[in-house]
Amino acid sequence: MSEHPVTPSGPGSAPFREATIDVAAIAWNTRVFAELTGVPVIAVVKADGYGHGAVLAARGALAGGASHLGVADLEEAVELREAGIDAPIIAWLHAPGETFARARERHIEVGLSSPEQLEAAANGGAASAPLRVHLKIDTGLSRNGVPESNWERVCSRAAALERAGGIEVVGVFSHLSNTSLDDDRAAIRRFTRAVEVATAAGLRPRIRHIAASQAALELPESRFDAVRIGLGLYGFSPLPDRDGAALGLTAAMTLRGSIASVKRVGPGTGVSYDYLFRTERDTTLALVPLGYADGVPRQATGNASVLINGYPHLVAGRIAMDQFVVDVGETPVSVGDEVVLFGEPRTGAPSAEDWADAADTIQRHVLTGIGRRIPRVAAPE
Ligand SMILES: *Cc1c(COP(=O)(O)O)cnc(C)c1O
């Protein structure tokens, strides 16, 4: 595959605030990962699809051939089911005392990390079918997952519960730290040993999965039977030396708004809180109605730019809760003109990665921070 087409943005009747989601780009990116890795893609749509809208993200990923959807918790899985999505879903982060009743009712697969979760999952009462579970192994991230000291005990108990019919162990999985290739290789060796322990206990897990976006690209030995792709689905590269375009990916979200007011000011005019910016000459200021409550990182104050009528312009002064100001100089602008905060770089827009760099954080943080005032709207296909 070469490049997914993109539609350039321009003047017109811009929405007040909107995150436009290119669902076809998510499908495209899913196929890129499937072709590159040669294994099924578990599309990670947790945290409202990394801010893109979980249902839109799920629809895109499934159109692109994803085998499963992955979410953190059962609440997120139920939201997908209520939207009518019946593809396999796995959820792996559970509330204390979770009974897994919702998982049984809704046919949601669960990742389990402790003996308590295993007992609760198997204890489904008069369930018709066994609950499908994936045993989560701690291979060095020290978050969820069964620690090595407990592998044998948990695997033999899981095998007994499987024979009794309460659960079916369909997978074994883990998650990597991305600290270094060597650290990840050591974790993969631990994972292989854990799978051997599971097999020796009588389990036959069909889906072994450990790689997220970064390892799926960098470490072929991490791919096993499936890869769990989050960031990459949305068009971003997890690698420091290659951007999304270099991997053939397309950014799926365009965050935009319309200019809410325009004014001409003289030199020495202070702009926004604390007057961090003062104009140097006669200029035009344009007000953009998105702020840090909408996920525009306040820390990016002074370092970020936006696209207005095809040209990048620096954000002037403090990014506030609901708005920020752009010094557009002599560029003619009108109320209602479109402002693109970020989008696919091939359209000339800044990327979410530029905003992440400006705010000294990562793309996932910018994307998942997009607030509730911003409607997520599917781009016309
Ligand atoms: C979030 C998450 C992923 C996806 O990670 P990316 O690096 O964004 O691809 C995969 N697996 C687990 C367990 C996760 O929590």
Side-chain angles (χ1 to χ4, degrees), residues 15-212:
F16 184 49
R17 309 180 182 110
E18 183 179 294
T20 318
I21 309 303
D22 184 346
V23 176
I26 296 175
W28 172 280
N29 297 332
T30 307
R31 284 192 289 271
V32 168
F33 273 88
E35 288 193 5
L36 223 122
T37 62
V39 296
V41 170
I42 299 173
V44 180
V45 300
K46 64 189 179 186
D48 203 26
Y50 285 46
H52 293 64
V55 174
L56 292 177
R59 296 223 165 100
L62 293 170
S67 69
H68 273 72
L69 302 170
V71 292
D73 59 47
L74 286 171
E75 209 72 53
E76 296 177 309
V78 167
E79 181 193 341
L80 295 172
R81 286 284 182 259
E82 290 195 331
I85 291 169
D86 56 12
I89 304 178
I90 164 172
W92 51 70
L93 184 61
H94 309 297
E98 176 60 53
T99 63
F100 301 103
R102 287 178 298 173
R104 281 176 186 284
E105 280 160 26
R106 307 270 192 165
H107 304 286
I108 297 160
E109 300 178 19
V110 292
L112 302 179
S113 290
S114 71
E116 293 75 22
Q117 289 179 350
L118 193 57
E119 299 301 328
N123 191 10
S128 46
L131 184 60
R132 292 161 67 100
V133 310
H134 300 241
L135 293 183
K136 182 146 197 200
I137 304 299
D138 185 359
T139 54
L141 191 58
S142 306
R143 300 196 321 200
N144 257 330
V146 181
E148 182 153 8
S149 56
N150 246 356
W151 289 353
E152 274 189 36
R153 183 162 83 92
V154 167
C155 289
S156 58
R157 183 66 184 148
L161 294 169
E162 183 171 69
R163 284 192 297 274
I167 56 170
E168 181 190 356
V169 179
V170 294
V172 172
F173 76 119
S174 185
H175 194 44
L176 295 166
S177 73
N178 301 333
T179 305
S180 69
L181 289 176
D182 279 344
D183 284 295
D184 285 352
R185 286 192 189 102
I188 291 165
R189 285 194 296 274
R190 264 176 238 128
F191 184 62
T192 303
R193 285 211 313 278
V195 171
E196 284 163 7
V197 170
T199 308
L203 297 170
R204 295 290 174 267
R206 300 190 300 280
I207 318 172
R208 299 161 299 164
H209 47 113
I210 187 166

Side-chain angles (χ1 to χ4, degrees), residues 359-371:
D360 194 21
T361 185
I362 59 173
Q363 305 110 313
R364 293 175 189 78
H365 191 184
V366 172
L367 296 170
T368 59
I370 305 298

